[in-house]
Amino acid sequence: MDYEFYKDSIVLLQGAISEVLTKIEIIREYRKVRGYNDPINYITTRVKSEQSMKDKLKRKKLAVTLDNALTKIYDAAGVRIICSYIDDVYHVAEMLKKCHGFEVIREKDYIKNPKPNGYRSYHIVFQLSLDVSGEIHPIFVEVQIRTIAQDFWSSLEHEIKYKKNIKNPELISQELKRCADQIATTDLNMQTIKNMISSNDERKKH
Ligand code: 0O2
């Protein structure tokens, strides 16, 4: 992808993402060698596309400038962590919040407080001080943590949202909300099953 709009800052955004990834990998490996479960299923990252950033700035009635993109919008750099179970989402959030150098700027728990459309996910905006040979660059990274099931729903909902010519948008929204609620129930049931299994294996708890 072409990142003309971000200019040199693209390196800083990618650098901040790498720092978050490295930290997560160390935590995962350290847990693994000590015999603990891995609470993470997989991770994806992205620098927000220039078009999506420009659209968001306009949506928020901000001038389309690089400075606004880096200081007023928090998700130019994004990390998405996918977990199997709801408890893992909260566990990963707590682990990351304890990391030295990860300053929590904003936290949104859309799992306890889902959006009206049914969206569920745990969002934390961290500020990292990226040290480039003594030059310190504060960079925001938005970390989204959610279950496989929540991710499945939000990927499809995101795709549908951008489809034009939907003839019956209200019905589609209602159906999506119904699916989100069903998925939430399934996540709770899966958590219960996991808890039943883990109580037989005390050694593998968090
Ligand atoms: P894209 O295309 O994914 O980049 P605000 O509260 O408005 O100041 P902001 O930044 O919108 O702040 O915060 P929030 O609520 O944490 O949302 C940030 C991102 O979460 C969104 O980025 C989406 O990726 C995701 N998200 C939030 N709500 C929804 C939703 O209802 N459905 C889906 N599928 N994803 C959602 P962008 O820039 O909106 O989009």
Side-chain angles (χ1 to χ4, degrees):
M1 208 182 284
D2 193 15
Y3 287 110
E4 244 174 72
F5 178 67
Y6 292 117
K7 304 198 177 82
D8 298 351
S9 299
I10 187 70
V11 177
L12 303 177
L13 294 169
Q14 285 165 340
I17 288 173
S18 297
E19 285 208 356
V20 173
L21 280 185
T22 303
K23 189 74 86 182
I24 297 171
E25 279 320 306
I26 293 168
I27 296 171
R28 290 177 89 179
E29 285 304 313
Y30 193 55
R31 287 176 60 88
K32 201 157 97 188
V33 294
R34 290 187 300 157
Y36 289 103
N37 281 340
D38 185 357
I40 297 174
N41 214 276
Y42 63 94
I43 301 173
T44 61
T45 68
R46 64 109 180 87
V47 170
K48 197 177 190 70
S49 77
E50 299 207 349
Q51 195 51 56
S52 170
M53 177 55 82
K54 288 175 183 171
D55 291 347
K56 190 161 186 168
L57 285 165
K58 285 181 199 155
R59 219 165 47 234
K60 291 185 174 288
K61 310 241 181 304
L62 292 165
V64 181
T65 63
L66 177 59
D67 188 54
N68 280 343
L70 298 179
T71 61
K72 304 267 175 25
I73 302 289
Y74 293 140
D75 69 342
V79 174
R80 189 169 287 158
I81 302 174
I82 310 304
C83 303
S84 298
Y85 301 97
I86 299 273
D87 281 3
D88 291 336
V89 171
Y90 288 102
H91 191 59
V92 170
E94 288 313 308
M95 286 193 303
L96 289 178
K97 279 158 53 183
K98 282 184 195 150
C99 288
H100 184 74
F102 285 23
E103 192 192 339
V104 178
I105 298 295
R106 190 178 81 178
E107 223 173 329
K108 287 186 187 173
D109 185 348
Y110 290 126
I111 297 177
K112 288 209 173 78
N113 305 297
K115 289 182 68 170
N117 63 357
Y119 178 75
R120 287 170 173 82
S121 185
Y122 198 101
H123 294 188
I124 312 172
V125 175
F126 290 107
Q127 187 178 53
L128 272 67
S129 295
L130 209 64
D131 184 343
V132 186
S133 293
E135 247 182 57
I136 307 297
H137 298 269
I139 303 287
F140 296 123
V141 179
E142 186 187 70
V143 178
Q144 300 182 348
I145 315 167
R146 54 195 186 221
T147 64
I148 300 170
Q150 289 164 349
D151 190 54
F152 157 72
W153 182 91
S154 51
S155 303
L156 296 186
E157 193 264 356
H158 192 268
E159 201 183 298
I160 291 167
K161 201 154 59 184
Y162 290 103
K163 279 206 193 319
K164 304 211 165 55
N165 309 322
I166 293 183
K167 291 194 187 83
N168 42 3
E170 271 165 33
L171 179 65
I172 299 288
S173 301
Q174 262 174 34
E175 285 303 298
L176 279 169
K177 170 76 169 60
R178 199 171 56 81
C179 289
D181 293 344
Q182 278 175 352
I183 281 170
T185 304
T186 305
D187 262 339
L188 286 178
N189 291 339
M190 295 304 281
Q191 181 70 58
T192 306
I193 294 168
K194 193 220 173 183
N195 292 348
M196 282 156 65
I197 297 166
S198 336
S199 62
N200 298 328
D201 188 0
E202 276 298 299
R203 232 170 33 84
K204 288 195 175 155
K205 64 183 187 207
H206 295 312

